[in-house]
């Protein structure tokens, strides 16, 4: 809410609500407090939750099999833990891995997924320009840089990377066909991508995901 309180409810698998309970679900909203600091952004994935505080620090909870939440344990984390390696974060993104963009417009990723295997925040050095926008799906990462170039990595079984027929691409790769599109932002669903500028969409169109293909 406007005072910075965070409420979570629904499935609590892996403790991803961070309310300190092992119950499988929360049927009414539960208030979560992360101290010190005022929550300014929240990001939810299929197995984890992230909270960004006004001091630029990030706190996470949920699935912890790769020590991506609590580096001292492998048990699921039903409370929020600070990501000690990060500061000055401005935006957060969560799918089946974590991503964080700093005020310096650098991008860090971490987790325990097929795409992102490093359990602690890792800077993506392949991005030579500053990051403008980020989209995350299931094992899917899309990045828009300050030159208007779009980079992609991860699952491609639905064509969500926008190039070739390789089912999975671990290396982050530039989508050259979008170089002249003057894009403003990118975002992802589970298995599709939308880029705003000249309208572009690729990936699965199941359930009417795309208005126009």
């Amino acid at each position: 809410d406007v005072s910075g309180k965070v409420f979570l409810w629904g499935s609590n698998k892996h403790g991803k609500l961070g309310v300190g309970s092992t119950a499988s679900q929360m049927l009414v909203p539960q208030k979560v407090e992360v101290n010190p600091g005022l929550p300014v952004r929240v990001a939810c994935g299929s197995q984890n939750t992230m909270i960004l505080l006004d001091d630029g620090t990030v706190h996470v909870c949920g699935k912890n099999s790769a020590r991506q939440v609590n580096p001292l344990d492998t048990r699921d984390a039903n409370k929020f833990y600070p990501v000690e390696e990060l500061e000055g974060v401005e935006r957060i993104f969560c799918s089946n891995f974590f991503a964080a963009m700093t005020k310096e417009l650098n991008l860090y990723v971490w987790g325990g997924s097929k795409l992102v295997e490093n359990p602690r925040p890792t800077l993506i050095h392949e991005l030579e320009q500053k990051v403008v926008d980020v989209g995350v799906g299931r094992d899917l990462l899309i990045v828009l840089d300050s030159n208007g170039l779009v980079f992609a990595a991860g699952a491609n079984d639905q064509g969500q990377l926008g190039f070739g027929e390789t089912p999975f691409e671990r290396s982050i790769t530039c989508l050259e066909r979008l170089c002249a599109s003057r894009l403003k932002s990118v975002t992802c669903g589970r298995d599709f991508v939308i880029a705003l500028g000249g309208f572009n969409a690729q990936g699965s169109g199941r359930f009417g995901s795309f208005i126009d293909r």
Side-chain angles (χ1 to χ4, degrees), residues 52-160:
L52 174 63
L53 302 185
D54 60 347
D55 61 2
T57 61
V58 177
H59 295 248
V60 296
C61 69
K63 188 174 182 179
N64 189 46
S65 57
R67 302 178 188 264
Q68 64 267 48
V69 173
N70 176 12
L72 302 179
D73 200 352
T74 57
R75 291 175 294 180
D76 289 341
N78 61 17
K79 66 176 183 178
F80 283 89
Y81 286 81
V83 183
E84 302 286 359
E85 299 91 334
L86 289 178
E87 59 183 14
V89 174
E90 193 165 72
R91 296 179 65 189
I92 52 176
F93 311 87
C94 191
S95 178
N96 61 335
F97 61 93
F98 301 116
M101 189 170 74
T102 67
K103 293 178 180 178
E104 290 76 28
L105 303 182
N106 294 317
L107 181 63
Y108 292 82
V109 296
W110 71 103
S113 70
K114 182 178 179 181
L115 175 61
V116 180
E117 298 177 327
N118 195 325
R120 308 312 302 164
T122 303
L123 177 67
I124 301 183
H125 293 283
E126 293 84 352
L127 299 172
E128 298 180 355
Q129 303 299 319
K130 298 299 184 181
V131 175
V132 174
D133 203 5
V134 176
V136 296
R138 183 168 182 82
D139 283 317
L140 175 62
L141 175 66
I142 305 293
V143 181
L144 176 65
D145 77 5
S146 57
N147 284 341
L149 300 180
V150 178
F151 294 82
N156 194 37
D157 55 304
Q158 300 290 338
Q160 53 267 60

